[in-house]
mmCIF file of all heavy atoms in Angstrom:
data_model
loop_
_atom_site.group_PDB
_atom_site.id
_atom_site.type_symbol
_atom_site.label_atom_id
_atom_site.label_comp_id
_atom_site.label_asym_id
_atom_site.label_seq_id
_atom_site.Cartn_x
_atom_site.Cartn_y
_atom_site.Cartn_z
ATOM 1 N N LEU A 216 -5.298 42.697 -5.062
ATOM 2 C CA LEU A 216 -4.173 43.620 -5.235
ATOM 3 C C LEU A 216 -4.636 45.006 -5.667
ATOM 4 O O LEU A 216 -4.040 46.014 -5.279
ATOM 5 C CB LEU A 216 -3.168 43.056 -6.244
ATOM 6 C CG LEU A 216 -2.368 41.847 -5.771
ATOM 7 C CD1 LEU A 216 -1.504 41.309 -6.910
ATOM 8 C CD2 LEU A 216 -1.514 42.189 -4.564
ATOM 9 N N SER A 217 -5.697 45.079 -6.446
ATOM 10 C CA SER A 217 -6.223 46.382 -6.858
ATOM 11 C C SER A 217 -6.818 47.137 -5.678
ATOM 12 O O SER A 217 -6.632 48.354 -5.546
ATOM 13 C CB SER A 217 -7.272 46.208 -7.959
ATOM 14 O OG SER A 217 -6.673 45.720 -9.141
ATOM 15 N N ALA A 220 -3.976 48.303 -3.613
ATOM 16 C CA ALA A 220 -3.283 49.389 -4.319
ATOM 17 C C ALA A 220 -4.030 50.703 -4.129
ATOM 18 O O ALA A 220 -3.414 51.762 -3.953
ATOM 19 C CB ALA A 220 -3.153 49.067 -5.802
ATOM 20 N N HIS A 221 -5.349 50.645 -4.159
ATOM 21 C CA HIS A 221 -6.134 51.854 -3.937
ATOM 22 C C HIS A 221 -5.913 52.381 -2.522
ATOM 23 O O HIS A 221 -5.765 53.600 -2.316
ATOM 24 C CB HIS A 221 -7.614 51.589 -4.181
ATOM 25 C CG HIS A 221 -8.481 52.768 -3.906
ATOM 26 N ND1 HIS A 221 -8.421 53.932 -4.643
ATOM 27 C CD2 HIS A 221 -9.413 52.983 -2.948
ATOM 28 C CE1 HIS A 221 -9.289 54.813 -4.146
ATOM 29 N NE2 HIS A 221 -9.899 54.260 -3.120
ATOM 30 N N ALA A 224 -2.536 54.078 -2.494
ATOM 31 C CA ALA A 224 -2.560 55.367 -3.201
ATOM 32 C C ALA A 224 -3.283 56.424 -2.365
ATOM 33 O O ALA A 224 -2.837 57.576 -2.305
ATOM 34 C CB ALA A 224 -3.232 55.203 -4.561
ATOM 35 N N LEU A 228 -1.493 59.805 -1.609
ATOM 36 C CA LEU A 228 -1.968 60.933 -2.430
ATOM 37 C C LEU A 228 -3.246 61.586 -1.931
ATOM 38 O O LEU A 228 -3.624 62.646 -2.417
ATOM 39 C CB LEU A 228 -2.191 60.460 -3.870
ATOM 40 C CG LEU A 228 -0.983 59.851 -4.579
ATOM 41 C CD1 LEU A 228 -1.391 59.335 -5.943
ATOM 42 C CD2 LEU A 228 0.135 60.861 -4.687
ATOM 43 N N ARG A 234 -10.699 53.806 -9.852
ATOM 44 C CA ARG A 234 -10.543 53.064 -11.106
ATOM 45 C C ARG A 234 -9.092 52.961 -11.538
ATOM 46 O O ARG A 234 -8.721 52.025 -12.225
ATOM 47 C CB ARG A 234 -11.385 53.704 -12.206
ATOM 48 C CG ARG A 234 -12.876 53.507 -11.978
ATOM 49 C CD ARG A 234 -13.674 54.206 -13.004
ATOM 50 N NE ARG A 234 -13.530 55.650 -12.753
ATOM 51 C CZ ARG A 234 -14.178 56.577 -13.412
ATOM 52 N NH1 ARG A 234 -15.003 56.236 -14.364
ATOM 53 N NH2 ARG A 234 -14.010 57.849 -13.122
ATOM 54 N N ARG A 235 -8.257 53.916 -11.126
ATOM 55 C CA ARG A 235 -6.839 53.856 -11.474
ATOM 56 C C ARG A 235 -6.153 52.647 -10.854
ATOM 57 O O ARG A 235 -5.213 52.099 -11.405
ATOM 58 C CB ARG A 235 -6.128 55.132 -11.053
ATOM 59 C CG ARG A 235 -6.499 56.336 -11.871
ATOM 60 C CD ARG A 235 -5.650 57.527 -11.430
ATOM 61 N NE ARG A 235 -5.924 58.676 -12.239
ATOM 62 C CZ ARG A 235 -5.269 58.979 -13.360
ATOM 63 N NH1 ARG A 235 -4.316 58.208 -13.776
ATOM 64 N NH2 ARG A 235 -5.579 60.057 -14.033
ATOM 65 N N ALA A 236 -6.615 52.224 -9.687
ATOM 66 C CA ALA A 236 -6.016 51.070 -9.008
ATOM 67 C C ALA A 236 -6.309 49.763 -9.738
ATOM 68 O O ALA A 236 -5.586 48.783 -9.568
ATOM 69 C CB ALA A 236 -6.509 50.988 -7.577
ATOM 70 N N LEU A 237 -7.344 49.749 -10.568
ATOM 71 C CA LEU A 237 -7.663 48.536 -11.318
ATOM 72 C C LEU A 237 -6.562 48.163 -12.303
ATOM 73 O O LEU A 237 -6.443 47.001 -12.695
ATOM 74 C CB LEU A 237 -8.993 48.703 -12.061
ATOM 75 C CG LEU A 237 -10.233 48.815 -11.183
ATOM 76 C CD1 LEU A 237 -11.457 49.100 -12.042
ATOM 77 C CD2 LEU A 237 -10.424 47.555 -10.365
ATOM 78 N N TYR A 238 -5.747 49.129 -12.713
ATOM 79 C CA TYR A 238 -4.645 48.853 -13.634
ATOM 80 C C TYR A 238 -3.471 48.180 -12.929
ATOM 81 O O TYR A 238 -2.634 47.562 -13.566
ATOM 82 C CB TYR A 238 -4.142 50.139 -14.294
ATOM 83 C CG TYR A 238 -5.174 50.871 -15.094
ATOM 84 C CD1 TYR A 238 -5.541 52.164 -14.767
ATOM 85 C CD2 TYR A 238 -5.803 50.270 -16.179
ATOM 86 C CE1 TYR A 238 -6.496 52.850 -15.501
ATOM 87 C CE2 TYR A 238 -6.760 50.941 -16.913
ATOM 88 C CZ TYR A 238 -7.099 52.234 -16.570
ATOM 89 O OH TYR A 238 -8.047 52.906 -17.294
ATOM 90 N N ILE A 239 -3.388 48.324 -11.625
ATOM 91 C CA ILE A 239 -2.195 47.902 -10.896
ATOM 92 C C ILE A 239 -2.222 46.417 -10.547
ATOM 93 O O ILE A 239 -1.199 45.740 -10.621
ATOM 94 C CB ILE A 239 -2.013 48.775 -9.637
ATOM 95 C CG1 ILE A 239 -1.783 50.207 -10.082
ATOM 96 C CG2 ILE A 239 -0.875 48.278 -8.758
ATOM 97 C CD1 ILE A 239 -1.878 51.221 -9.012
ATOM 98 N N GLY A 240 -3.353 45.881 -10.180
ATOM 99 C CA GLY A 240 -3.425 44.514 -9.682
ATOM 100 C C GLY A 240 -3.148 43.382 -10.657
ATOM 101 O O GLY A 240 -2.511 42.396 -10.286
ATOM 102 N N PRO A 241 -3.594 43.443 -11.912
ATOM 103 C CA PRO A 241 -3.491 42.269 -12.783
ATOM 104 C C PRO A 241 -2.075 41.769 -13.075
ATOM 105 O O PRO A 241 -1.832 40.568 -12.998
ATOM 106 C CB PRO A 241 -4.189 42.715 -14.074
ATOM 107 C CG PRO A 241 -5.165 43.744 -13.625
ATOM 108 C CD PRO A 241 -4.481 44.464 -12.497
ATOM 109 N N LEU A 242 -1.142 42.636 -13.395
ATOM 110 C CA LEU A 242 0.198 42.147 -13.751
ATOM 111 C C LEU A 242 0.927 41.481 -12.586
ATOM 112 O O LEU A 242 1.471 40.381 -12.758
ATOM 113 C CB LEU A 242 1.039 43.271 -14.351
ATOM 114 C CG LEU A 242 0.706 43.633 -15.793
ATOM 115 C CD1 LEU A 242 1.586 44.776 -16.281
ATOM 116 C CD2 LEU A 242 0.846 42.441 -16.706
ATOM 117 N N PRO A 243 0.965 42.072 -11.385
ATOM 118 C CA PRO A 243 1.584 41.344 -10.275
ATOM 119 C C PRO A 243 0.853 40.033 -9.944
ATOM 120 O O PRO A 243 1.487 39.056 -9.546
ATOM 121 C CB PRO A 243 1.500 42.323 -9.098
ATOM 122 C CG PRO A 243 1.451 43.665 -9.728
ATOM 123 C CD PRO A 243 0.674 43.462 -11.004
ATOM 124 N N ALA A 244 -0.460 39.997 -10.144
ATOM 125 C CA ALA A 244 -1.210 38.760 -9.901
ATOM 126 C C ALA A 244 -0.787 37.676 -10.887
ATOM 127 O O ALA A 244 -0.583 36.522 -10.505
ATOM 128 C CB ALA A 244 -2.709 39.024 -10.004
ATOM 129 N N VAL A 245 -0.645 38.043 -12.143
ATOM 130 C CA VAL A 245 -0.204 37.077 -13.153
ATOM 131 C C VAL A 245 1.207 36.581 -12.834
ATOM 132 O O VAL A 245 1.500 35.385 -12.941
ATOM 133 C CB VAL A 245 -0.273 37.694 -14.573
ATOM 134 C CG1 VAL A 245 0.451 36.831 -15.594
ATOM 135 C CG2 VAL A 245 -1.721 37.902 -14.978
ATOM 136 N N ILE A 246 2.082 37.495 -12.416
ATOM 137 C CA ILE A 246 3.442 37.103 -12.053
ATOM 138 C C ILE A 246 3.410 36.095 -10.904
ATOM 139 O O ILE A 246 4.108 35.081 -10.924
ATOM 140 C CB ILE A 246 4.289 38.333 -11.680
ATOM 141 C CG1 ILE A 246 4.582 39.160 -12.926
ATOM 142 C CG2 ILE A 246 5.587 37.927 -10.984
ATOM 143 C CD1 ILE A 246 5.197 40.507 -12.639
ATOM 144 N N LEU A 263 10.651 41.018 -8.857
ATOM 145 C CA LEU A 263 10.006 41.270 -10.151
ATOM 146 C C LEU A 263 8.607 41.842 -9.950
ATOM 147 O O LEU A 263 8.228 42.832 -10.601
ATOM 148 C CB LEU A 263 9.942 39.985 -10.970
ATOM 149 C CG LEU A 263 9.219 40.083 -12.305
ATOM 150 C CD1 LEU A 263 9.937 41.062 -13.237
ATOM 151 C CD2 LEU A 263 9.093 38.716 -12.943
ATOM 152 N N ALA A 264 7.837 41.251 -9.049
ATOM 153 C CA ALA A 264 6.481 41.746 -8.790
ATOM 154 C C ALA A 264 6.511 43.166 -8.234
ATOM 155 O O ALA A 264 5.681 44.001 -8.608
ATOM 156 C CB ALA A 264 5.752 40.812 -7.832
ATOM 157 N N LEU A 265 7.466 43.470 -7.356
ATOM 158 C CA LEU A 265 7.570 44.824 -6.809
ATOM 159 C C LEU A 265 7.960 45.834 -7.883
ATOM 160 O O LEU A 265 7.447 46.962 -7.904
ATOM 161 C CB LEU A 265 8.563 44.864 -5.654
ATOM 162 C CG LEU A 265 8.083 44.236 -4.350
ATOM 163 C CD1 LEU A 265 9.218 44.165 -3.347
ATOM 164 C CD2 LEU A 265 6.900 44.973 -3.784
ATOM 165 N N LEU A 266 8.862 45.460 -8.791
ATOM 166 C CA LEU A 266 9.232 46.363 -9.892
ATOM 167 C C LEU A 266 8.050 46.624 -10.818
ATOM 168 O O LEU A 266 7.802 47.769 -11.219
ATOM 169 C CB LEU A 266 10.408 45.785 -10.681
ATOM 170 C CG LEU A 266 11.769 45.898 -10.032
ATOM 171 C CD1 LEU A 266 12.808 45.116 -10.834
ATOM 172 C CD2 LEU A 266 12.185 47.352 -9.906
ATOM 173 N N VAL A 267 7.328 45.570 -11.146
ATOM 174 C CA VAL A 267 6.142 45.737 -12.005
ATOM 175 C C VAL A 267 5.083 46.560 -11.281
ATOM 176 O O VAL A 267 4.446 47.444 -11.876
ATOM 177 C CB VAL A 267 5.595 44.360 -12.438
ATOM 178 C CG1 VAL A 267 4.237 44.480 -13.096
ATOM 179 C CG2 VAL A 267 6.575 43.671 -13.362
ATOM 180 N N ASP A 268 4.906 46.303 -9.997
ATOM 181 C CA ASP A 268 3.948 47.051 -9.183
ATOM 182 C C ASP A 268 4.294 48.543 -9.202
ATOM 183 O O ASP A 268 3.427 49.387 -9.441
ATOM 184 C CB ASP A 268 3.973 46.505 -7.760
ATOM 185 C CG ASP A 268 2.767 46.890 -6.944
ATOM 186 O OD1 ASP A 268 1.640 46.809 -7.471
ATOM 187 O OD2 ASP A 268 2.943 47.254 -5.775
ATOM 188 N N GLY A 269 5.567 48.861 -8.963
ATOM 189 C CA GLY A 269 6.004 50.258 -9.007
ATOM 190 C C GLY A 269 5.817 50.880 -10.380
ATOM 191 O O GLY A 269 5.395 52.029 -10.501
ATOM 192 N N GLY A 270 6.115 50.109 -11.408
ATOM 193 C CA GLY A 270 5.907 50.609 -12.772
ATOM 194 C C GLY A 270 4.447 50.904 -13.069
ATOM 195 O O GLY A 270 4.120 51.904 -13.713
ATOM 196 N N MET A 271 3.566 50.054 -12.561
ATOM 197 C CA MET A 271 2.140 50.283 -12.773
ATOM 198 C C MET A 271 1.640 51.475 -11.966
ATOM 199 O O MET A 271 0.794 52.243 -12.448
ATOM 200 C CB MET A 271 1.339 49.016 -12.426
ATOM 201 C CG MET A 271 1.615 47.842 -13.346
ATOM 202 S SD MET A 271 1.439 48.229 -15.095
ATOM 203 C CE MET A 271 -0.298 48.565 -15.202
ATOM 204 N N PHE A 272 2.177 51.672 -10.752
ATOM 205 C CA PHE A 272 1.831 52.870 -9.983
ATOM 206 C C PHE A 272 2.283 54.125 -10.725
ATOM 207 O O PHE A 272 1.545 55.110 -10.803
ATOM 208 C CB PHE A 272 2.467 52.838 -8.589
ATOM 209 C CG PHE A 272 1.609 52.221 -7.531
ATOM 210 C CD1 PHE A 272 1.995 51.043 -6.919
ATOM 211 C CD2 PHE A 272 0.428 52.814 -7.113
ATOM 212 C CE1 PHE A 272 1.223 50.464 -5.926
ATOM 213 C CE2 PHE A 272 -0.350 52.255 -6.131
ATOM 214 C CZ PHE A 272 0.044 51.069 -5.533
ATOM 215 N N ALA A 273 3.506 54.098 -11.260
ATOM 216 C CA ALA A 273 4.033 55.257 -11.993
ATOM 217 C C ALA A 273 3.186 55.550 -13.218
ATOM 218 O O ALA A 273 2.877 56.711 -13.519
ATOM 219 C CB ALA A 273 5.486 55.006 -12.387
ATOM 220 N N TRP A 274 2.805 54.505 -13.938
ATOM 221 C CA TRP A 274 2.014 54.697 -15.159
ATOM 222 C C TRP A 274 0.592 55.150 -14.839
ATOM 223 O O TRP A 274 0.058 56.053 -15.485
ATOM 224 C CB TRP A 274 1.982 53.383 -15.941
ATOM 225 C CG TRP A 274 1.131 53.448 -17.159
ATOM 226 C CD1 TRP A 274 1.414 54.073 -18.330
ATOM 227 C CD2 TRP A 274 -0.167 52.881 -17.313
ATOM 228 N NE1 TRP A 274 0.370 53.920 -19.207
ATOM 229 C CE2 TRP A 274 -0.613 53.186 -18.604
ATOM 230 C CE3 TRP A 274 -0.989 52.131 -16.482
ATOM 231 C CZ2 TRP A 274 -1.841 52.773 -19.091
ATOM 232 C CZ3 TRP A 274 -2.216 51.714 -16.963
ATOM 233 C CH2 TRP A 274 -2.626 52.044 -18.256
ATOM 234 N N SER A 275 -0.014 54.551 -13.823
ATOM 235 C CA SER A 275 -1.412 54.828 -13.520
ATOM 236 C C SER A 275 -1.620 56.186 -12.860
ATOM 237 O O SER A 275 -2.594 56.876 -13.160
ATOM 238 C CB SER A 275 -1.970 53.724 -12.624
ATOM 239 O OG SER A 275 -3.335 53.917 -12.386
ATOM 240 N N TYR A 276 -0.718 56.568 -11.952
ATOM 241 C CA TYR A 276 -0.935 57.798 -11.187
ATOM 242 C C TYR A 276 -0.060 58.962 -11.636
ATOM 243 O O TYR A 276 -0.273 60.085 -11.197
ATOM 244 C CB TYR A 276 -0.725 57.524 -9.689
ATOM 245 C CG TYR A 276 -1.830 56.679 -9.106
ATOM 246 C CD1 TYR A 276 -1.669 55.320 -8.923
ATOM 247 C CD2 TYR A 276 -3.053 57.238 -8.774
ATOM 248 C CE1 TYR A 276 -2.679 54.543 -8.400
ATOM 249 C CE2 TYR A 276 -4.073 56.477 -8.253
ATOM 250 C CZ TYR A 276 -3.881 55.118 -8.071
ATOM 251 O OH TYR A 276 -4.899 54.357 -7.564
ATOM 252 N N ASP A 277 0.940 58.719 -12.485
ATOM 253 C CA ASP A 277 1.800 59.771 -13.035
ATOM 254 C C ASP A 277 2.326 60.697 -11.932
ATOM 255 O O ASP A 277 2.082 61.903 -11.943
ATOM 256 C CB ASP A 277 1.044 60.558 -14.106
ATOM 257 C CG ASP A 277 1.987 61.412 -14.941
ATOM 258 O OD1 ASP A 277 3.163 61.032 -15.090
ATOM 259 O OD2 ASP A 277 1.543 62.470 -15.436
ATOM 260 N N GLN A 278 3.053 60.100 -10.984
ATOM 261 C CA GLN A 278 3.586 60.823 -9.833
ATOM 262 C C GLN A 278 5.116 60.768 -9.852
ATOM 263 O O GLN A 278 5.698 59.945 -10.551
ATOM 264 C CB GLN A 278 3.073 60.197 -8.532
ATOM 265 C CG GLN A 278 1.594 60.331 -8.323
ATOM 266 C CD GLN A 278 1.181 61.771 -8.125
ATOM 267 O OE1 GLN A 278 1.805 62.517 -7.387
ATOM 268 N NE2 GLN A 278 0.120 62.176 -8.809
ATOM 269 N N PRO A 279 5.770 61.637 -9.077
ATOM 270 C CA PRO A 279 7.231 61.575 -8.982
ATOM 271 C C PRO A 279 7.695 60.244 -8.384
ATOM 272 O O PRO A 279 6.927 59.542 -7.710
ATOM 273 C CB PRO A 279 7.597 62.730 -8.051
ATOM 274 C CG PRO A 279 6.372 63.542 -7.889
ATOM 275 C CD PRO A 279 5.206 62.734 -8.305
ATOM 276 N N ALA A 282 6.986 59.440 -4.623
ATOM 277 C CA ALA A 282 5.605 59.050 -4.322
ATOM 278 C C ALA A 282 5.339 57.626 -4.795
ATOM 279 O O ALA A 282 4.646 56.853 -4.115
ATOM 280 C CB ALA A 282 4.624 60.016 -4.971
ATOM 281 N N VAL A 283 5.889 57.251 -5.941
ATOM 282 C CA VAL A 283 5.697 55.897 -6.469
ATOM 283 C C VAL A 283 6.342 54.872 -5.535
ATOM 284 O O VAL A 283 5.755 53.827 -5.243
ATOM 285 C CB VAL A 283 6.268 55.787 -7.903
ATOM 286 C CG1 VAL A 283 6.338 54.341 -8.351
ATOM 287 C CG2 VAL A 283 5.437 56.609 -8.870
ATOM 288 N N VAL A 284 7.534 55.160 -5.059
ATOM 289 C CA VAL A 284 8.208 54.246 -4.125
ATOM 290 C C VAL A 284 7.393 54.116 -2.841
ATOM 291 O O VAL A 284 7.205 53.008 -2.319
ATOM 292 C CB VAL A 284 9.652 54.716 -3.841
ATOM 293 C CG1 VAL A 284 10.267 53.946 -2.684
ATOM 294 C CG2 VAL A 284 10.507 54.578 -5.088
ATOM 295 N N MET A 286 4.137 54.558 -2.462
ATOM 296 C CA MET A 286 2.928 53.788 -2.742
ATOM 297 C C MET A 286 3.253 52.297 -2.867
ATOM 298 O O MET A 286 2.496 51.448 -2.371
ATOM 299 C CB MET A 286 2.248 54.286 -4.010
ATOM 300 C CG MET A 286 1.534 55.608 -3.837
ATOM 301 S SD MET A 286 0.552 56.098 -5.274
ATOM 302 C CE MET A 286 1.824 56.632 -6.412
ATOM 303 N N THR A 287 4.360 51.969 -3.509
ATOM 304 C CA THR A 287 4.733 50.569 -3.699
ATOM 305 C C THR A 287 5.049 49.898 -2.370
ATOM 306 O O THR A 287 4.595 48.773 -2.107
ATOM 307 C CB THR A 287 5.930 50.459 -4.659
ATOM 308 O OG1 THR A 287 5.599 51.110 -5.891
ATOM 309 C CG2 THR A 287 6.285 49.012 -4.936
ATOM 310 N N HIS A 290 1.861 49.552 -0.436
ATOM 311 C CA HIS A 290 1.058 48.505 -1.061
ATOM 312 C C HIS A 290 1.540 47.124 -0.624
ATOM 313 O O HIS A 290 0.727 46.247 -0.286
ATOM 314 C CB HIS A 290 1.121 48.638 -2.582
ATOM 315 C CG HIS A 290 0.226 47.679 -3.298
ATOM 316 N ND1 HIS A 290 0.598 47.102 -4.485
ATOM 317 C CD2 HIS A 290 -0.997 47.200 -3.011
ATOM 318 C CE1 HIS A 290 -0.380 46.302 -4.892
ATOM 319 N NE2 HIS A 290 -1.353 46.352 -4.004
#
Side-chain angles (χ1 to χ4, degrees):
L216 290 175
S217 293
H221 177 65
L228 302 175
R234 290 176 290 185
R235 290 184 177 270
L237 293 175
Y238 300 119
I239 297 167
L242 284 179
V245 168
I246 289 170
L263 176 63
L265 286 172
L266 284 172
V267 169
D268 197 44
M271 294 308 294
F272 269 115
W274 176 74
S275 184
Y276 289 99
D277 194 29
Q278 294 294 315
V283 168
V284 169
M286 286 187 285
T287 304
H290 185 217

